[in-house]
Amino acid sequence: MGLPTLEFSDSFLDSPDFRERIKCHEIELERTNKFIKDLIKDGNMLIVALKNLSAAVQKFSQSLQEFQFECIGDAETDDEVNIAQSFKEFSQLLNTVEEERRRLIQNADDVLITPLEKFRKEQIGAAKEGKKKFDKETEKYYSTLERHLSLSSKKKEAYLQEADTQIDKERQLFYDASLEYVFKIQEVQEKKKFEFVEPLLAFLQGLFTFYHEGYELAHEFEPYKQQLQFNLQNTRNNFVSTKQEVEKLMKRIRSADQDYKPPGQWTMEGFLYVQEKRPLGCTWIRHYCTYEKGSKTFSMSNTEAKSAGKQVPEMFKLKSCIRRKTDSIDKRFCFDIEVVERHGVMTLQALSESNRRLWLEAMDGKEPVRSPGCSAGMFFSSFSDKKTIRRLNYWSPAPSSGINTMGLYRIGGVNSKVQKLMTTVFLHEPLDHLASICPSSESDDQNYRVCAVHALVHKLPDRNKEMLELLIKHLVTVSAQSQSNLMTVSNLGVIFGPTLMRSQEETVAAMMNIKFQNIVVEILIENFIKVIYHLALDVHYACNFTFITEPAMYSCEAEHSHELSFPQGAHFSNVYPSVEPGWLQATFEGRTGLIPENYVVFL
C-alpha cells in the first residue's frame, strides 16, 4: 500500500486524519534518509575496496613485468621466447584493465556519492526544515487562538478588533507554513524517484563499461591466448621427450664407472691433492685441476683457500708425467709431474686407482689405457647405401596401411624387431652430416631458417639426401592426416628430432638442444618442397643465405636504434633480407642493423 495523498485544502482543516497522513510521509522520509546514509557509507567502503584491489593488481602486474625467464642453453626456441614474453603480455593486459578500473574509481565519487549526499541534504534536509517551521507555526497559532478565544466580550471594540486582526495574521502564517510543508513533502517524494535512482544508474553504467572493456580485452586477447597454449603444449612435449633422454643419460652415468671421464673441453679434469712442503713436514691441499693435451697446459685452483674474490688458477706447461711407486711414498694413487714453470717434481694424489690411470693416460704417463670415450653418431646419417634405399622405398606406406592410426609412431616397437631392422638396413659407421643443421633453427628469421636447412641438406651425400627425401615425404603424408592420427608436425618433430640428429656428446647440455632438433624436423616437413626441390625459395636466400651488393648508392641517417647510418659508397657485409619488407640486415663498420633495400644494388 502506497503513501496517502496530501491535499492542500486539508491544510486549512488540519484534521487528525491530515496529521496522520503527514506522519506517514515523515516516517517514509526518515527511512529514505537513513537508507541513503547507509548507501553512502557502503559506497565509500566499495570505493576503498576497489582502490585496494586496484593497488594489489598493479603490484601483481609489476611483479610479472619485472620477472625474467631464463632458459637452459645459449639460444631459445620460438615457443620459449613467446612463453618468456607472456608475463609481460599478462602485465600489459592487467594494466589496461586497471586503467579502466581507475577511471571507474575516480568517477564513483562524483557519480554516486556526491549526488546522493546532495539529495539527502538539500531535499530531505529542506523537508525537515519545513517540518520545524510547520511545528513552530502550529504551536504559535494554537496558543494565540486559545488566548484569543479566552477574551471577554466586555472588552472594548477597538481591542477586540485588534485581537481579531492578530489571530487572522497568525492563522495565515500557519496556513502558509502548512501549505509549504505539504508541497515540500510531495516534492521530495516525487524527486526521489529520479534524483535518488539516477546516481545509482550512472554508477552501474560505469561498472558495466568496465566489465565491457574487460570483455573486449578478452576478445582481443583470444588469438594470443591460443598461440600461447600452442607454445605451452609444444614446450610440454619437448619437456617429456627431453626428460626421457636425460633420465636415460642419468641411468647410464649412474651405472658407469665412478671415474668415467665425461666429454668436455678438457682432456682431463677433476680434483687432485697436491703435496706442499712445509717447515714441519708436508701437507696435501685439494685443487681442481684441468689438462689440455694439445697444448700440454695444466692448471690447478686451490679450492680450500678462503678468498672473497674469484680464484685465479695457476697455469703450467707439462714436461713429463710419471707414476709414483707405492713403496716410495706413504700415500696411495700418487704420480709425479714436471712443469716448465717450476723446478723439481710436483707430487699429485688422485682419488682412486682408476682415476690415476685416467690422468696418466691423458698426460702420456707410463700407464696409458684406452679411453672409454665413445662416438655417438646420428641415426639418420647411417642410411647411405643404395640397397638400403631400395629396401626403404617399400617402407612408405599407403594411406590405408595404418596411417590414420591414432598416436602413430608414439607407440613403442618390440625391441628385438627394432634391433633386427637396424642390423639389416643400417650401416655401422655413422656419418655426422646433419650435425650443422641444428644451429640453423636458432635464428629468429623464418626464411633464413628454411634456406639454411635447404643449403645444409643439399650438402649431404646423394645417398643420405635421397634417404632424407623418402623419410620426410612419408612424414608429410602422416602429418596431412593429423586430424585422425593426431600426429601433427609438432608431434612428429618431438619424435623424429632426437632420432635423426642425436648429439655426439651425451650430456645434459646436449639434451637441452633436442628442442632445436625438433624444430629442424618441423621445418623439413612444413617446407618439404622448398628444401628438397629448390622451389619457391627467396632468391636472396639462395644456398649461402647472404649475398654481395654494390657500394651504397645514397647516404642514410638512422632514425631508430636498430637501423644503420652510412655514407654514400659504404661497403656492407653479411647482407641478407630482414623480416621487415623493404629492408635488409647488414653489417657496416662492425655494427649490424637494418638498411633500406633500394639503397643498394645486388651483384
Side-chain angles (χ1 to χ4, degrees):
M1 182 177 178
L3 292 170
T5 305
L6 295 176
E7 297 291 345
F8 289 117
S9 58
D10 292 337
S11 299
F12 297 103
L13 296 175
D14 195 22
S15 64
D17 181 64
F18 172 70
R19 288 286 180 161
E20 190 65 30
R21 280 180 282 159
I22 284 182
K23 187 175 181 180
C24 291
H25 282 270
E26 290 173 348
I27 292 173
E28 173 60 22
L29 287 180
E30 185 59 33
R31 190 178 70 87
T32 302
N33 183 59
K34 184 178 182 304
F35 176 72
I36 292 176
K37 278 185 176 181
D38 292 340
L39 195 62
I40 291 173
K41 179 181 177 182
D42 294 341
N44 284 323
M45 291 176 61
L46 174 60
I47 292 173
V48 171
L50 288 174
K51 288 180 179 179
N52 292 336
L53 173 60
S54 181
V57 173
Q58 290 178 58
K59 180 65 174 66
F60 180 72
S61 173
Q62 183 180 357
S63 299
L64 292 177
Q65 181 70 28
E66 292 174 353
F67 182 76
Q68 181 64 43
F69 265 104
E70 293 294 343
C71 298
I72 299 176
D74 298 329
E76 298 176 346
T77 65
D78 291 343
D79 297 325
E80 291 172 337
V81 170
N82 290 340
I83 291 173
Q85 186 66 23
S86 65
F87 276 14
K88 290 181 172 53
E89 292 288 340
F90 297 159
S91 175
Q92 183 178 353
L93 178 66
L94 290 175
N95 284 334
T96 304
V97 172
E98 289 315 302
E99 286 178 7
E100 192 63 34
R101 195 196 305 275
R102 282 194 294 271
R103 281 192 287 270
L104 171 66
I105 294 172
Q106 290 169 358
N107 295 333
D109 190 70
D110 295 335
V111 169
L112 179 64
I113 305 301
T114 301
L116 289 177
E117 191 66 37
K118 182 179 179 181
F119 176 79
R120 191 183 71 83
K121 290 182 177 179
E122 294 184 0
Q123 300 301 323
I124 298 180
K128 288 184 176 183
E129 290 298 322
K131 174 178 171 53
K132 290 180 181 179
K133 182 179 179 182
F134 174 66
D135 290 343
K136 179 180 179 181
E137 292 298 333
T138 299
E139 179 68 25
K140 187 176 179 181
Y141 168 65
Y142 283 109
S143 297
T144 304
L145 181 62
E146 288 179 4
R147 289 195 302 270
H148 181 71
L149 294 176
S150 64
L151 289 175
S152 175
S153 58
K154 295 179 180 181
K155 294 285 186 179
K156 292 181 180 181
E157 186 65 26
Y159 182 80
L160 293 175
Q161 287 181 356
E162 183 180 353
D164 290 341
T165 302
Q166 182 65 28
I167 193 64
D168 290 341
K169 181 180 178 181
E170 292 298 332
R171 183 183 294 109
Q172 187 60 48
L173 291 174
F174 167 70
Y175 289 161
D176 289 343
S178 179
L179 290 171
E180 289 175 2
Y181 184 44
V182 169
F183 175 79
K184 191 61 183 177
I185 286 176
Q186 296 190 121
E187 181 185 39
V188 174
Q189 296 290 10
E190 292 299 314
K191 274 190 172 182
K192 77 176 184 182
K193 296 177 183 178
F194 52 90
E195 289 195 1
F196 182 25
V197 177
E198 279 179 345
L200 295 172
L201 179 61
F203 177 73
L204 289 177
Q205 181 61 41
L207 203 60
F208 294 152
T209 301
F210 168 72
Y211 289 138
H212 181 72
E213 180 69 18
Y215 172 80
E216 291 293 330
L217 287 173
H219 183 69
E220 294 174 4
F221 188 70
E222 186 64 25
Y224 178 79
K225 185 188 78 171
Q226 293 177 353
Q227 178 61 42
L228 183 59
Q229 288 173 332
F230 177 75
N231 298 141
L232 292 171
Q233 186 59 47
N234 283 348
T235 306
R236 187 184 300 276
N237 292 340
N238 289 335
F239 164 75
V240 172
S241 174
T242 304
K243 180 183 177 183
Q244 294 172 350
E245 295 295 329
V246 173
E247 286 178 343
K248 291 177 183 178
L249 173 61
M250 181 182 67
K251 291 177 181 178
R252 285 195 296 272
I253 296 298
R254 179 181 293 168
S255 61
D257 184 4
Q258 184 178 1
D259 293 310
Y260 163 71
K261 169 61 177 69
Q265 69 177 110
W266 308 107
T267 307
M268 186 62 188
E269 61 180 316
F271 283 106
L272 292 173
Y273 284 82
V274 181
Q275 184 185 55
E276 294 187 4
K277 294 180 180 180
R278 301 290 171 85
L280 299 180
C282 64
T283 184
W284 295 83
I285 307 298
R286 187 176 65 174
H287 289 69
Y288 192 81
C289 305
T290 64
Y291 179 69
E292 203 282 307
K293 192 170 185 177
S295 60
K296 292 189 175 183
T297 301
F298 177 74
S299 71
M300 59 183 191
S301 301
N302 187 348
T303 59
E304 298 181 0
K306 296 181 179 179
S307 175
K310 184 178 180 181
Q311 287 287 333
V312 178
E314 297 181 81
M315 309 293 292
F316 306 99
K317 188 175 183 63
L318 184 70
K319 291 170 60 178
S320 65
C321 173
I322 303 173
R323 180 181 67 83
R324 188 70 175 262
K325 292 183 179 181
T326 304
D327 57 1
S328 66
I329 191 170
D330 62 350
K331 296 285 187 180
R332 304 170 65 196
F333 320 133
C334 295
F335 61 98
D336 296 333
I337 64 170
E338 290 184 290
V339 296
V340 175
E341 290 79 6
R342 285 189 182 182
H343 295 289
V345 173
M346 295 174 59
T347 301
L348 308 176
Q349 183 184 27
L351 304 182
S352 65
E353 182 59 37
S354 58
N355 183 243
R356 178 171 68 169
R357 284 199 301 270
L358 291 175
W359 280 103
L360 290 173
E361 179 191 29
M363 294 180 171
D364 294 326
K366 290 186 177 181
E367 296 181 0
V369 294
R370 186 168 59 87
S371 173
C374 61
S375 175
M378 290 174 294
F379 174 87
F380 164 71
S381 54
S382 301
F383 305 120
S384 58
D385 64 351
K386 292 184 178 180
K387 180 184 288 186
T388 298
I389 294 173
R390 283 197 301 271
R391 287 173 180 169
L392 288 170
N393 270 320
Y394 297 99
W395 168 57
S396 183
S400 59
S401 302
I403 203 168
N404 292 315
T405 302
M406 185 181 299
L408 183 66
Y409 297 132
R410 279 199 178 275
I411 302 173
V414 179
N415 186 60
S416 59
K417 294 183 178 180
V418 172
Q419 294 298 328
K420 183 178 179 180
L421 175 64
M422 293 178 66
T423 303
T424 304
V425 300
F426 299 164
L427 292 180
H428 296 285
E429 296 181 0
L431 302 175
D432 298 335
H433 294 300
L434 292 183
S436 59
I437 291 185
C438 191
S440 64
S441 67
E442 300 176 9
S443 171
D444 293 333
D445 190 330
Q446 183 63 27
N447 287 331
Y448 179 87
R449 291 180 184 178
V450 174
C451 291
V453 173
H454 166 271
L456 294 170
V457 164
H458 284 273
K459 290 180 181 179
L460 292 173
D462 290 341
R463 290 172 294 180
N464 297 77
K465 186 168 62 177
E466 189 175 348
M467 182 63 239
L468 177 63
E469 179 182 348
L470 287 173
L471 173 61
I472 301 303
K473 184 176 181 180
H474 170 66
L475 296 184
V476 170
T477 305
V478 172
S479 65
Q481 306 297 323
S482 61
Q483 288 193 349
S484 56
N485 60 31
L486 302 184
M487 297 310 298
T488 62
V489 173
S490 176
N491 287 339
L492 291 171
V494 169
I495 295 169
F496 284 90
T499 304
L500 297 181
M501 286 169 285
R502 183 170 297 277
S503 174
Q504 290 182 332
E505 296 180 353
E506 291 190 335
T507 62
V508 175
M511 300 304 176
M512 292 301 111
N513 281 331
I514 287 177
K515 56 195 176 187
F516 296 109
Q517 299 167 2
N518 301 346
I519 292 175
V520 170
V521 174
E522 292 178 25
I523 293 172
L524 288 169
I525 296 173
E526 291 177 336
N527 302 273
F528 173 70
I529 301 298
K530 291 183 180 180
V531 171
I532 301 299
Y533 300 116
H534 304 270
L535 298 180
L537 279 173
D538 190 323
V539 66
H540 294 159
Y541 282 101
C543 294
N544 292 323
F545 332 127
T546 60
F547 47 85
I548 303 174
T549 64
E550 292 279 5
M553 297 186 293
Y554 317 102
S555 62
C556 178
E557 187 69 27
E559 296 181 356
H560 303 284
S561 59
H562 58 277
E563 298 174 5
L564 291 180
S565 296
F566 54 87
Q568 183 179 4
H571 292 270
F572 302 106
S573 60
N574 299 327
V575 183
Y576 58 89
S578 167
V579 292
E580 297 187 29
W583 292 83
L584 301 173
Q585 191 84 11
T587 300
F588 175 65
E589 294 183 347
R591 186 169 179 269
T592 300
L594 298 179
I595 63 173
E597 186 174 4
N598 56 356
Y599 277 43
V600 296
V601 175
F602 302 112
L603 293 178

